[in-house]
Amino acid sequence: MSPGHDFEDVADYAILTLDTEGRVATWNAGAQRCTGYAAQEIVGRHFSVFYPPEDIVAGRPAVELARAEVVGRLEDEGWRVRRDGSRFWASVVITPLRDPDTSLRGYGAITRDLTERRAAELKLAASEERLRCSFDEARIGMVIVGLDGRYERVNNAFCAIVGHTREQLTGHSGEHITHPDDVTADAAARRSLLAGEVTSHTCEKRYLAPGEPVWVAVSVTLTRSPDGQPLHFLGQIQDITERRTHERRLQHMADHDPLTGLLNRRSFDRELRGHTSRTRRYGPTGAVLMIDLDHFKYFNDTQGHSAGDQLIVRIAQGLCSRLRESDVVARLGGDEFAVLLPAQDEAATLAVAQALLAVVRDEAMPALVGRDRRVTASIGIARFDDGELLTPEDVMVNADLAMYDAKENGRDRYARYRSRDHRRPRSEIRRKAAEHINDAIARNGFELLAQPIVPLDGAATTQYELLLVMRDRHGDAVPPGAFLHVAERLGLIGEIDRWVTGRSIEMLAEQRELGRDLRFEVNLSGHTIGDDRLLALIERRLRETGVPADRLIFEVTETAAIAHVGRAACFAERLSELGCGFALDDFGAGFGSCYHLKHLPFDYLKIDGEFVRHCTENETDRILIAAVVQIARGMGKATIAEYVTSPETVDVLTMLGVDFGQGFHLGRPAPLCDHLGRPPVHAVKALGSGPPTPASA
């Protein structure tokens, strides 16, 4: 390229020639547009005029010419200066120009304005830096995994989660820190992503961190190139170990009895149904033992409820020590236990029952019981291979009936249910059981005791929970735990609930005639929820007596409401339409609580006593109570704490914002007239102490 050549055909470029000293010899229109200098202004001037001062001071123009001459060509990029002093980013190519005898004649230079490209590159670099910082400093774990399953890049949070350094992870397969149970699932997820079967994969898995494995929530996507080729996997990881631990604790509390740690009634029913399904497929085997303690109420009343709790715990531990790992033992409530022996034959079942009787005798030491009455056990045995194909309900009813046979025959023994030995068919047994309950109703064998529900702000007590007891023909009280579950299994609970409801409305009417405006809380079985006959009775008796509907509050336990959430919601809505109140009892026992609250139009949350009884010394219990209060207040509802056993408990509950208290410290269950004969409670602090709430309360 020689001086004087017409360069207008490449006018997008600044094209110029220099003499051997570096002065401009030729200049094209592209150079004028790029720098702002006209040819007559620049020709003859040194080309360093286009360089920033710092480059001139550093001698960069001379260095570039020297390098171009030595190497034969120089390619570079850098800042240049226009006529108006503004800077632009340019690419520069300098080529030595030589005569045929190779002597240096000058230089050719081509420059192109790349300012926009440079800005884009800087923007991209800044974006990549932000991305790098976002990746490396993200608060959740981030990983880039190659298609071969090896870590290409990991961030600080991921290293902290798994307890390994970047050097220990980068370039290594993820299998070496993944729990063996999760390796196969991880590989299958990567194959699904590569095949395009899914666009993302989420799961919960474990990593083998130093010490205990950590649980993480993982979300994985596949990154592809513009032409659709897979590049690598991008994973986001969150440590959920604490959440999983909390969930396990809650699940354990939902499935187990809080006092003994044994399975509760709901869990036992689940195990029983599972075993029943297996017997239908593989043949009947095994047995259920129903265990009821004899004279436990007497022990509780004479020795104190704390001693009663301790005895229940010792007996539970003794039962577990005698049973095999494959056996299932549960506390159904109060002083009642149940055992499922999945594979024991007839002889082995009877031997186990005899051994369990001995366990109860040993744990209930005579020195703790007294000479006149000892705590023993009555055990009812029902086997799955006894006659016809049995349902779980059938087996439990049979075991119940056998247990009562053991009690009638002198206690401290077992009785075996045998259908072939019964002279009456099952329908006759059910009929007789129904007659006993109906007889109790007819002869006023049922009684409603009242327990005050005390406002913790010091207001007068006008609200009471009504508690059912049954009197046998000798006049002795039979607590609800001894007959209600039997009535449920025999389908008789509806009749009892209707009696309780009708009598409650009558008592309200009687008190209104005496000038007392009270509210009663009435317990309902989960089996009665949605009973149209009960709803019709409520509507009719309220209309006949003139009792305002809002003076009647119906309680359903949380576990029963959750088990029948659809029916419970409809039932509560019907009660609300009538004007009655609705309370969710034992709140916190089911731990499906918060999810179901929006479906249940309740007026009161009754906090489960397990959270209340130790709240003075247990921080976790106080946190849970405060959470329930916050939930209730946010929904405009009131809270009632059960099992209030001391003035200190009252202080804690008041501090946490609980609205009402209920328990032996605030008032024992007693005939309503006993409560109303005393002056109203105007100050909670003035109430006297009472013994702790019994285990069977």
Side-chain angles (χ1 to χ4, degrees):
M1 188 177 294
S2 60
H5 191 280
D6 184 4
F7 297 121
E8 293 303 318
D9 56 336
V10 284
D12 289 340
Y13 294 84
I15 301 176
L16 59 154
T17 60
L18 309 174
D19 63 18
T20 58
E21 300 300 324
R23 292 185 292 270
V24 178
T26 62
W27 189 252
N28 77 334
Q32 181 172 339
R33 283 193 295 271
C34 188
T35 66
Y37 288 101
Q40 61 270 23
E41 294 178 291
I42 201 65
V43 171
R45 296 178 66 178
H46 197 276
F47 84 111
S48 61
V49 71
F50 310 124
Y51 285 73
E54 62 269 19
D55 285 349
I56 296 173
V57 172
R60 182 173 179 179
V63 171
E64 288 184 350
L65 292 180
R67 286 178 57 196
E69 184 177 352
V70 172
V71 178
R73 178 184 175 90
L74 172 72
E75 293 186 13
D76 197 9
E77 289 188 8
W79 290 110
R80 298 294 184 266
V81 179
R82 296 187 178 94
R83 185 176 184 275
D84 62 4
S86 63
R87 297 189 180 198
F88 64 100
W89 187 264
S91 66
V92 178
V93 178
I94 300 176
T95 306
L97 303 176
R98 297 183 182 277
D99 290 329
D101 61 358
T102 71
S103 59
L104 182 66
R105 181 162 55 86
Y107 303 90
I110 302 176
T111 299
R112 188 178 185 188
D113 187 347
L114 299 179
T115 305
E116 291 184 1
R117 193 201 74 180
R118 175 66 173 173
E121 288 175 346
L122 291 174
K123 184 177 180 181
L124 178 61
S127 176
E128 289 176 346
E129 178 63 16
R130 287 195 299 272
L131 179 61
R132 185 194 66 77
C133 292
S134 298
F135 183 93
D136 290 340
E137 305 303 325
R139 299 182 67 178
I140 65 172
M142 302 284 289
V143 296
I144 295 176
V145 181
L147 302 182
D148 59 357
R150 296 179 183 274
Y151 291 116
E152 295 181 355
R153 188 172 176 181
V154 298
N155 76 341
N156 298 331
F158 182 72
C159 293
I161 289 171
V162 300
H164 296 285
T165 65
R166 292 176 188 265
E167 293 73 20
Q168 292 172 322
L169 295 170
T170 305
H172 295 281
S173 169
E175 291 186 4
H176 80 289
I177 64 166
T178 298
H179 194 283
D181 293 347
D182 298 321
V183 170
T184 301
D186 278 2
R190 290 196 297 270
R191 288 195 298 270
S192 295
L193 288 166
L194 285 169
E197 297 170 354
V198 295
T199 57
S200 65
H201 171 73
T202 58
C203 68
E204 294 184 358
K205 57 177 285 187
R206 287 159 292 178
Y207 280 121
L208 300 175
E212 292 291 324
V214 296
W215 276 96
V216 296
V218 179
S219 176
V220 183
T221 55
L222 177 63
T223 302
R224 296 181 181 272
S225 65
D227 61 356
Q229 294 302 310
L231 296 177
H232 49 244
F233 300 100
L234 176 63
Q236 295 179 315
I237 298 93
Q238 289 182 288
D239 188 343
I240 59 169
T241 304
E242 184 176 353
R243 191 203 80 192
R244 293 279 300 209
T245 300
H246 190 55
E247 287 176 349
R248 284 199 302 271
R249 288 175 181 168
L250 293 181
Q251 188 60 51
H252 184 274
M253 293 176 71
D255 291 340
H256 294 76
D257 170 58
L259 178 63
T260 63
L262 299 180
L263 294 181
N264 56 21
R265 181 184 294 272
R266 183 181 69 172
S267 298
F268 186 79
D269 287 344
R270 183 178 62 243
E271 295 289 337
L272 181 59
R273 291 185 184 282
H275 179 73
T276 304
S277 297
R278 290 189 291 273
T279 63
R280 289 175 178 170
R281 183 171 183 179
Y282 301 109
T285 182
V288 167
L289 277 59
M290 188 69 67
I291 305 171
D292 190 84
L293 302 184
D294 306 318
H295 306 303
F296 180 75
K297 184 178 184 302
Y298 173 82
F299 176 85
N300 230 15
D301 292 342
T302 58
Q303 303 297 320
H305 302 297
S306 178
D309 284 355
Q310 294 173 18
L311 179 57
I312 288 290
V313 170
R314 288 203 308 274
I315 289 174
Q317 293 171 344
L319 296 178
C320 291
S321 68
R322 178 57 185 82
L323 295 168
R324 299 181 303 181
E325 190 173 333
S326 58
D327 300 332
V328 179
V329 58
R331 183 187 180 208
L332 302 186
D335 58 355
E336 186 178 36
F337 300 85
V339 175
L340 170 62
L341 305 176
Q344 301 279 29
D345 60 19
E346 173 86 12
T349 299
L350 300 182
V352 169
Q354 190 65 53
L356 297 184
L357 290 172
V359 164
V360 175
R361 290 191 215 103
D362 292 343
E363 297 299 337
M365 294 180 290
L368 292 177
V369 179
R371 297 179 180 178
D372 49 349
R373 297 185 187 180
R374 292 189 55 193
V375 173
T376 55
S378 296
I379 300 179
I381 303 172
R383 290 191 55 80
F384 287 87
D385 56 4
D386 190 18
E388 71 277 18
L389 194 63
L390 300 175
T391 66
E393 291 77 11
D394 291 333
V395 176
M396 294 296 283
V397 168
N398 291 348
D400 265 330
L401 294 172
M403 183 267 291
Y404 282 110
D405 285 344
K407 283 190 178 294
E408 291 175 3
N409 291 329
R411 299 184 173 89
D412 192 21
R413 68 193 64 225
Y414 65 79
R416 165 82 161 86
Y417 179 90
R418 298 179 187 274
S419 59
R420 64 177 183 272
D421 295 339
H422 278 70
R423 289 169 291 183
R424 295 168 294 169
R426 183 182 303 277
S427 59
E428 177 68 8
I429 296 172
R430 292 178 184 270
R431 188 181 65 80
K432 285 295 183 182
E435 286 178 358
H436 286 307
I437 292 177
N438 289 327
D439 175 62
I441 296 174
R443 61 180 172 79
N444 250 353
F446 286 119
E447 181 181 357
L448 291 177
L449 302 181
Q451 185 173 28
I453 297 174
V454 179
L456 298 186
D457 62 0
T461 299
T462 60
Q463 191 163 313
Y464 298 84
E465 179 177 356
L466 299 184
L467 304 170
L468 179 69
V469 295
M470 186 170 72
R471 301 283 178 183
D472 62 21
R473 288 194 170 272
H474 303 290
D476 294 331
V478 182
F483 67 89
L484 284 183
H485 66 281
V486 178
E488 288 178 347
R489 291 180 190 137
L490 295 177
L492 305 172
I493 193 65
E495 183 69 23
I496 294 176
D497 279 351
R498 287 190 291 275
W499 182 89
V500 169
T501 301
R503 178 61 187 136
S504 301
I505 296 173
E506 290 175 4
M507 291 172 62
L508 282 171
E510 292 166 0
Q511 294 304 315
R512 287 180 66 79
E513 290 180 1
L514 296 174
R516 298 187 180 114
D517 189 18
L518 305 180
R519 276 189 171 87
F520 289 161
E521 293 189 4
V522 179
N523 292 281
L524 293 180
S525 164
H527 295 260
T528 311
I529 295 174
D531 183 356
D532 289 335
R533 289 178 295 176
L534 177 63
L535 289 166
L537 171 69
I538 296 169
E539 186 173 9
R540 176 170 51 82
R541 293 300 292 141
L542 289 176
R543 184 176 61 252
E544 292 172 350
T545 60
V547 171
D550 65 351
R551 300 306 189 261
L552 197 60
I553 302 164
F554 290 94
E555 290 186 15
V556 178
T557 64
E558 179 202 352
T559 48
I562 290 173
H564 311 91
V565 66
R567 282 166 37 197
C570 293
F571 184 70
E573 288 171 0
R574 293 279 299 277
L575 291 176
S576 180
E577 291 171 0
L578 291 175
C580 300
F582 184 75
L584 198 55
D585 198 8
D586 295 340
F587 185 77
F591 295 100
S593 309
C594 295
Y595 173 78
H596 293 285
L597 284 183
K598 63 181 181 180
H599 300 294
L600 298 170
F602 63 93
D603 302 285
Y604 297 88
L605 280 183
K606 300 196 74 172
I607 304 170
D608 186 54
E610 178 58 27
F611 302 128
V612 177
R613 70 162 72 195
H614 300 300
C615 69
T616 56
E617 64 268 13
N618 190 303
E619 176 66 19
T620 300
D621 287 341
R622 292 194 291 272
I623 291 172
L624 291 170
I625 293 171
V628 174
V629 170
Q630 186 175 7
I631 291 170
R633 283 188 173 175
M635 303 177 75
K637 311 301 181 182
T639 50
I640 302 172
E642 303 177 294
Y643 288 72
V644 178
T645 59
S646 68
E648 293 77 18
T649 304
V650 171
D651 290 339
V652 171
L653 296 173
T654 303
M655 176 190 69
L656 295 175
V658 177
D659 299 299
F660 297 89
Q662 181 179 359
F664 276 18
H665 169 64
L666 301 177
R668 288 172 169 271
L672 183 62
C673 59
D674 289 359
H675 295 293
L676 300 177
R678 297 191 297 269
V681 178
H682 291 290
V684 173
K685 296 294 181 68
L687 292 171
S689 296
T693 306
S696 58

